Amino acid sequence: MQQLEPDSKSSGLTYKKSDKGGSTEVAVDDENHVIYIRTNMEFSGPDATEEYAAAAKKQIEETWSGTAERNGEPYEVKVTVNTKVNTSGEPTEGYDPIVVDKSVGRMNQTLFGAGPGNQTPEAATDEGRPRRIAHEYGHTLGLEDGYEDSPEGGSVKKDPTKENDIMAETWPDESGVLPHPHQDHYDEVLKTHGW
C-alpha cells in the first residue's frame, strides 16, 4: 500500500487525534506546507469486498486530497486511507468500522468514525452520485451534514450560496463539477484534531 505521508518518527511530524474518538490522525508540516490526514477503515458485513475497500479508498483520497490555506498560505493536503476487509470476527482495534450491506437504504457514518458506519456496495459504482463514500468520510473527519431533510422528502442546503459542497451533495452540478471540500471543512478538521 502506497504511503503518502512520511514516517512520523523519522520526519519529526506530530500526528494529533480528536478527543472524540476514531482513528483519524492529522499532522501539519509548516516547513513544506503540507497537511497530512490518515485514517484506518475496516469494511465488514455481507457485502464487504476488497474491491469495495479499494474503490472507497480511491474515492476518499481523490476527493479530500488537494489544497487548503493555513495562516493565509497555500498548503497541499494529502489524505491516506488504510483499508482492511474483515468478513468474520471481531472488529479490529484502531480501525473505524464500516458495515457494507446492500440492504442499506441511506448511508451514514458516526462523527469522527467513533462508531459504526453503514454503506451500500452500490456507492462504489454510483455514476449519478459518485461521491457518496467521500461525503460519509467527511463525517469520519467530524463534519456535520451541509443539508437538512425537507418535509417534502428531499433535502435543502444549509448554505445555498456554497457551491459543490461535499457535505451537502454527492452529485455533479449542471456543468459536471463534482462536489469537493471547502476551506471551512479543512479549517474545522484541523481545529478538531488539535491544530
Side-chain angles (χ1 to χ4, degrees), residues 80-146:
T80 302
V81 178
N82 299 307
T83 62
K84 180 177 183 172
V85 175
N86 182 356
T87 55
S88 62
E90 293 296 314
T92 304
E93 188 174 333
Y95 281 76
D96 298 342
I98 307 292
V99 177
V100 185
D101 187 337
K102 64 184 173 191
S103 70
V104 169
R106 186 171 185 174
M107 293 180 26
N108 60 68
Q109 176 61 45
T110 306
L111 290 181
F112 297 99
N118 296 285
Q119 298 183 6
T120 176
E122 296 169 356
T125 56
D126 187 345
E127 292 181 13
R129 295 176 293 165
R131 292 210 163 156
R132 285 201 280 168
I133 300 169
H135 168 88
E136 296 306 327
Y137 181 70
H139 296 313
T140 297
L141 296 176
L143 301 172
E144 298 277 354
D145 281 321

Side-chain angles (χ1 to χ4, degrees), residues 165-177:
D165 177 1
I166 187 63
M167 296 313 297
E169 53 208 348
T170 59
W171 53 88
D173 68 13
E174 51 282 343
S175 302
V177 177

